């Protein structure tokens, strides 16, 4: 009974995590309506995220691990590299939303799990299944069709997928917990972010002092960034990989629907490109589900 309750709690945390990520474009779009541009948004995101990430470290009682990381230059260097990757991802995503390219951004997060699978095979010699090869091939066709549909390579989509894939690869090599790693990543970005925010306010170009409502909205960038990451880290350790494989496509689906609702162009050729991407996603999810089934049967047989 306790195991079932933990499983339900993990699934709930996973669903909430991906719902938060899915609806994040609405938050950035709202900021743009107040006149906050992409780079001011990113700066506030770095400043307020370090506060919340520090709070998570305290709650998780990981101060000892923070001190250990501070004494290990190699780990600090790897975390600096992961910071660069996640900063590129954040920047591209916020710029995409502010520029009205939410659909193209959603495509990046459909491609990302398939790119992760390819990276695992190439870099970590993980075995790629037949379903995985089919999924990547279908996604590749989808990217080609998308290129034809929009008249150029979907740079935003590929940049989002590649930067988050690089982030995942780097973090796989760093022996620190999710909360501690996130705290250091936010800390690396916080000082430059704060300097930019102060410069904006000094020159009159900032919006933080325009009123309590906009100030509160900008401060929400912290929990909007940290809360889904914390839920993801908690759920991922307690949830079967197959279930996570299904849930991870919830966020880009919501983002895609938001892009359509905001009136972004969605031509028949673009719809065809997404059809190939969704087919690849379906094959990937089915493969993850089958792998989960086999793993459960193996555990039951061993028991």
């Amino acid at each position: 009974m306790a195991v079932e309750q933990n499983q339900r709690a993990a699934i709930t945390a996973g669903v909430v995590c991906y719902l938060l990520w899915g609806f994040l474009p609405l938050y950035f779009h709202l900021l743009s309506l107040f006149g906050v541009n992409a780079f001011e948004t990113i700066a506030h995101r770095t400043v307020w995220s370090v506060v919340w990430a520090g709070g998570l470290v305290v709650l998780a009682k990981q101060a000892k691990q923070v001190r250990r990381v501070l004494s290990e230059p190699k780990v600090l260097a790897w975390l600096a590299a992961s910071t660069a990757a996640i900063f590129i991802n954040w920047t591209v995503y916020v710029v995409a939303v502010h520029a009205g390219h939410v659909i193209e951004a959603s495509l990046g997060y459909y491609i990302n799990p398939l790119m992760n699978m390819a990276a695992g095979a190439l870099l970590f010699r993980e075995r790629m299944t037949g379903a995985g090869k089919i999924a990547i091939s279908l996604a590749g066709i989808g990217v080609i069709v998308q290129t034809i549909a929009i008249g150029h390579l979907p740079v935003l989509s590929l940049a989002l997928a590649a930067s988050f894939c690089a982030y995942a690869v780097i973090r796989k090599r760093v022996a620190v917990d999710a909360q501690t790693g996130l705290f250091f990543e936010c800390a690396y970005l916080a000082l430059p972010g704060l300097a930019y925010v102060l410069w904006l306010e000094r020159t009159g170009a900032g919006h933080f002092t325009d009123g309590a409502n906009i100030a509160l909205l900008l401060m929400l960038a912290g929990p909007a960034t940290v809360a889904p990451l914390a839920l993801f880290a908690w759920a991922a350790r307690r949830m079967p990989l197959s279930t996570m494989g299904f849930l991870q496509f919830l966020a880009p689906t919501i983002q895609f629907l938001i892009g359509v609702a905001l009136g972004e162009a969605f031509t028949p050729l673009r719809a065809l490109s997404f059809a190939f991407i969704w087919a690849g996603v379906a094959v990937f999810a089915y493969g993850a589900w089958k792998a989960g089934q086999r793993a459960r049967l193996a555990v039951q047989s061993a028991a």
Side-chain angles (χ1 to χ4, degrees):
M1 189 68 177
V3 173
E4 289 180 4
Q5 288 176 341
N6 287 337
Q7 186 83 352
R8 281 196 294 270
I11 292 172
T12 301
V15 169
V16 172
C17 153
Y18 285 112
L19 285 174
L20 289 172
W21 272 331
F23 285 106
L24 198 56
L26 290 178
Y27 169 68
F28 294 137
H29 181 69
L30 181 61
L31 284 174
S32 71
L33 294 178
F34 277 92
V36 181
N37 66 29
F39 297 102
E40 185 178 3
T41 299
I42 295 160
H44 277 280
R45 194 177 190 185
T46 62
V47 170
W48 301 111
S49 290
V50 75
V51 176
W52 285 77
L56 281 181
V57 167
V58 172
L59 286 174
K61 298 179 180 178
Q62 292 180 349
K64 189 175 181 180
Q65 188 174 113
V66 170
R67 289 193 294 271
R68 178 181 64 79
V69 171
L70 286 170
S71 66
E72 298 182 8
K74 189 175 180 180
V75 175
L76 287 171
W78 276 114
L79 287 172
S82 68
T83 301
I86 201 64
F87 179 69
I88 291 169
N89 184 267
W90 287 0
T91 303
V92 172
Y93 186 74
V94 176
V95 168
V97 174
H98 276 256
H101 296 296
V102 180
I103 291 177
E104 196 170 340
S106 74
L107 177 66
Y109 289 110
Y110 278 121
I111 296 171
N112 174 250
L114 308 179
M115 191 177 283
N116 287 346
M117 183 166 52
L122 291 172
L123 300 176
F124 301 106
R125 300 187 182 278
E126 296 175 359
R127 190 176 68 86
M128 189 180 294
T129 63
K133 292 174 183 177
I134 294 170
I136 289 172
S137 299
L138 288 168
I141 295 170
V143 170
I144 293 169
V145 176
Q146 182 83 186
T147 301
I148 298 168
I150 63 178
H152 59 81
L153 198 67
V155 178
L156 286 174
S157 306
L158 294 174
L160 284 169
S163 58
F164 206 72
C165 179
Y167 177 73
V169 168
I170 295 167
R171 285 302 301 270
K172 191 177 177 71
R173 295 177 177 272
V174 185
V176 294
D177 289 336
Q179 293 93 332
T180 300
L182 178 63
F183 171 72
F184 275 97
E185 288 158 357
C186 293
Y188 274 125
L189 296 171
L191 282 179
L194 180 60
Y196 185 63
V197 167
L198 292 175
W199 179 80
L200 286 174
E201 295 302 327
R202 185 178 179 183
T203 57
H207 292 80
F208 188 73
T209 54
D210 286 357
N213 290 340
I214 185 63
L216 180 61
L217 199 58
L218 286 166
M219 289 170 68
L220 280 175
T225 299
V226 174
L229 283 167
L231 287 168
F232 173 82
W234 188 86
R237 291 196 299 269
R238 296 165 175 82
M239 191 187 301
L241 182 63
S242 55
T243 307
M244 212 66 178
F246 283 107
L247 291 182
Q248 67 185 320
F249 296 110
L250 184 61
T253 300
I254 296 170
Q255 292 165 9
F256 167 79
L257 293 173
I258 287 172
V260 173
L262 290 174
E264 294 183 19
F266 192 61
T267 62
L269 193 58
R270 206 168 187 187
L272 179 63
S273 77
F274 269 89
F276 278 106
I277 296 293
W278 287 329
V281 164
V283 172
F284 173 87
Y286 176 75
W289 176 76
K290 289 293 288 183
Q293 290 287 90
R294 286 194 295 270
R296 278 193 291 274
L297 287 172
V299 170
Q300 288 171 4
S301 298

